[in-house]
């Protein structure tokens, strides 16, 4: 579900939704993609704190998922083996820290890949900003 950034703002539709359920859907979709790409030496791990299956968050669920798809697709394209971990941590001030850890340094395979990666990461940065978050 790629987002075409045509302006500096996107239409954000914030709603309450179940965080764990959404992350499980992202995991299932990308696990299927791993199999389709025949990347049998890559492991995709969803890591969440404790049993917070009924935890709800208030943000735009479509863009929330899109951020993870952009980041994880980038890692999937650049990696052939190892463990890709994604999930979130709860911070002391009731804030969430969402993350994607890749198996190692990734390098674009050609100029087109580098350009595509830069566009994807710029899109992620803009979406996170529009949702009121920060990237680092």
């Amino acid at each position: 579900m790629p987002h075409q950034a045509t302006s500096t703002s996107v239409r954000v539709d914030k709603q309450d939704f179940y965080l764990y359920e959404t992350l499980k859907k992202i995991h299932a979709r990308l696990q299927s993609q791993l199999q389709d790409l025949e990347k049998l030496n890559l492991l995709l791990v969803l890591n969440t704190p404790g049993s917070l299956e009924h935890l709800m968050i208030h943000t735009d669920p479509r863009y929330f998922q899109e951020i993870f798809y952009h980041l994880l697709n980038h890692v999937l394209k650049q990696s052939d083996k190892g463990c890709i971990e994604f999930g979130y941590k709860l911070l002391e001030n009731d804030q969430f820290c969402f993350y994607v850890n890749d198996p190692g340094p990734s390098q674009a395979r050609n100029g087109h890949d580098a350009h595509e990666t830069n566009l994807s990461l710029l899109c992620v940065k803009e979406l996170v900003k529009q949702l009121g978050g920060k990237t680092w």
Side-chain angles (χ1 to χ4, degrees):
M1 85 174 64
H3 167 74
Q4 298 296 321
T6 56
S7 69
T8 57
S9 68
V10 294
R11 185 175 182 277
V12 175
D13 182 20
K14 291 187 177 184
Q15 306 170 24
D16 291 334
F17 63 93
Y18 290 104
L19 178 58
Y20 184 73
E21 181 181 308
T22 301
L23 291 173
K24 289 288 286 181
K25 286 179 186 176
I26 293 168
H27 182 269
R29 178 175 169 186
L30 290 165
Q31 191 66 39
S32 175
Q33 187 175 339
L34 267 178
Q35 291 174 349
D36 292 345
L37 294 172
E38 297 182 4
K39 295 208 173 193
L40 305 176
N41 293 323
L42 269 176
L43 178 64
L44 183 63
V45 175
L46 170 59
N47 191 359
T48 61
S51 60
L52 300 174
E53 292 181 18
H54 301 291
L55 180 67
M56 296 187 83
I57 64 170
H58 185 79
T59 192
D60 188 310
R62 181 175 56 136
Y63 289 129
F64 176 84
Q65 290 179 57
E66 191 168 322
I67 289 166
F68 272 104
Y69 289 135
H70 276 291
L71 292 173
L72 289 163
N73 276 320
H74 165 71
V75 175
L76 289 178
K77 287 179 185 177
Q78 303 301 321
S79 303
D80 293 318
K81 63 181 177 179
C83 179
I84 301 167
E85 179 185 343
F86 75 103
Y88 69 94
K89 298 175 185 176
L90 290 173
L91 304 178
E92 292 178 12
N93 56 358
D94 291 332
Q95 297 288 312
F96 294 92
C97 178
F98 295 97
Y99 66 90
V100 173
N101 289 331
D102 65 17
S106 60
Q107 297 180 7
R109 298 189 174 156
N110 62 42
H112 176 74
D113 287 346
H115 180 70
E116 186 177 298
T117 295
N118 288 339
L119 287 176
S120 183
L121 295 178
L122 284 173
C123 181
V124 164
K125 188 173 183 176
E126 179 62 25
L127 287 173
V128 169
K129 180 180 170 185
Q130 292 296 321
L131 295 177
K134 299 181 213 171
T135 58
W136 63 91

